[in-house]
Amino acid sequence: MNYQSTRDKTISVTSAEAIKQGLSNEGGLFVPESFPTVTGEEIKSLAKMTYNERAKFILGKFLSEFTDEELAKCVDSAYTKEKFETSAIAPVYKLNDHEYILELWHGPTCAFKDMALQILPHLLTTSMKKTNEEKEVVILVATSGDTGKAALAGFQDVEGTRIIVFYPDNGVSEIQKLQMVTQEGNNVSVAAVKGNFDDAQSGVKKIFTDEEYKKLLARNKFSLSSANSINWGRLAPQIVYYFSAYAELLNSGEIENGEEINVVVPTGNFGNILASYYAKKMGLPVKKFICASNENNVLTEFLRTGVYNKNRPFHTTISPSMDILISSNLERFLYDLTGNDDKVISEWMSKLNTEGVYEVSSDVKAKIQSLFAAGCCDDAETMATIKQTAADYDYVVDTHTAVAVAVYNNYVKETGDKTKTVIASTASPFKFNQSVLIALEDHNAVVGKDEFTLLEELSEKSNMRIPASLAALKNKNVVFDLVCDKNEMQNVVSDFLMVE
Ligand SMILES: *Cc1c(COP(=O)(O)O)cnc(C)c1O
């Protein structure tokens, strides 16, 4: 199967090329030329499979040039019992007779990014081999927290890859910093940058666009790449868990095969919710997609009005992984809704770039409204939802999942729609222990306590085990203590790769 660019559909590449390139040269995103289908019979057969078998089945339909052996190796290297704390990989938890939580955070870094970043390095190295690329991939990441650690854990010791992560000094939570500076592996490096996330991000962008420097790296057999969420190799693995959730509901007798469900996703870059939409395109019975945002509600407004306007204040919230004003993966969704109109997509994206705003046609708006509902909530409502969900169901959710639960509750109140609903849960509550404990009690619950005390207290309150990877941080050595100036980032890369 080939992939075309959303901004120039005459560009057509294999899946291995799409994964290797990440972004198309003219700035478009790669999308499949057509969507493979999954029949009702096939969905029934998924119910009897393990998560890894389901992943091989779904991914095999997209990565058609990968041999069965290659794909099996990628999947079985990613979703292992050493890395995931449950053999179900992405289990479904029943809250009540119509509300189900899809837990996507049992991986090594306790956030849903593991679902994609555990497999991406293997898809990438396989793609490099298949396209006869002899250079070693060097992944550069600027992170505000979750992505950096998930990428480090995914690329750790994967042959043919190196990874360097830059995080803002004083710009990530204590536990996120600990997770990164204690990272093990013989191909990894981590540095703090003096400044904020934007400084780290522009430093990385500068390295990516320095043609002379890239030539120097190429002479040393290195090729730069990124692990961000516009890569097809990150999106495709996310389609799998929506089929898997449906299969789990079939197994437990909660739904009949063919019955439509709703899906709720706490959204930032629009990758996760887009994956659920792609699952429906393939044949998964979904009635409504409910897109949940925090106070950065640019998507809520867009999905309701058809106007995307990023000219608005940026809010720092307690669900930081959703603090986003430009949702890159929306471009893929619009490409699909316009019937693959690369001209109009280029026009809208260029407007977004120059004016910060664009409006879709009434026809596209109508399609969005027939499929999507959208809502948002602020930090106070997020906190109240954590407390209420714990009181009602004895089940503790993290701040991001709480946004989804809050928006869903409002949706049900407004519509009365009691269709069985899967809510994507994107992080373990332990990863955001401060906010969660404050929500369950009050500010006094956290004053003067270190991270490990907080983990233990949350464990007592929630009756959940502390994830082993977080508990283990206590006894890990700090491996990376480098703090660099934002102008020195290139030197950090050169030193690590030993090029000059
Ligand atoms: C990245 C992230 C999100 C947002 O996912 P998108 O695919 O960018 O929409 C939500 N919750 C958590 C915990 C995340 O890490």
Side-chain angles (χ1 to χ4, degrees), residues 151-164:
L152 285 166
F155 280 91
Q156 173 186 353
D157 292 327
V158 174
E159 216 178 299
T161 71
R162 309 270 193 112
I163 175 164
I164 309 173

Side-chain angles (χ1 to χ4, degrees), residues 110-113 146-147 229 234 238 265-273 299 321-322 324 329 398 400-401 425-428 432:
C110 307
F112 100 101
K113 301 222 168 28
D146 277 354
T147 305
S229 77
R234 263 187 76 174
Q238 300 186 357
V265 184
T267 298
N269 219 0
F270 209 77
N272 199 3
I273 197 164
L299 279 171
S321 300
M322 296 157 68
I324 280 180
N329 270 301
D398 92 292
H400 303 76
T401 309
S425 174
T426 51
S428 156
F432 297 92

Side-chain angles (χ1 to χ4, degrees), residues 34 63 142 155 159 205 277 305 352 410 418 430 475 500:
S34 63
L63 310 177
F155 280 91
E159 216 178 299
K205 275 200 184 137
Y277 173 72
T305 66
L352 179 64
N410 292 337
K418 290 281 178 69
F430 288 96
N475 303 315
E500 43 188 58

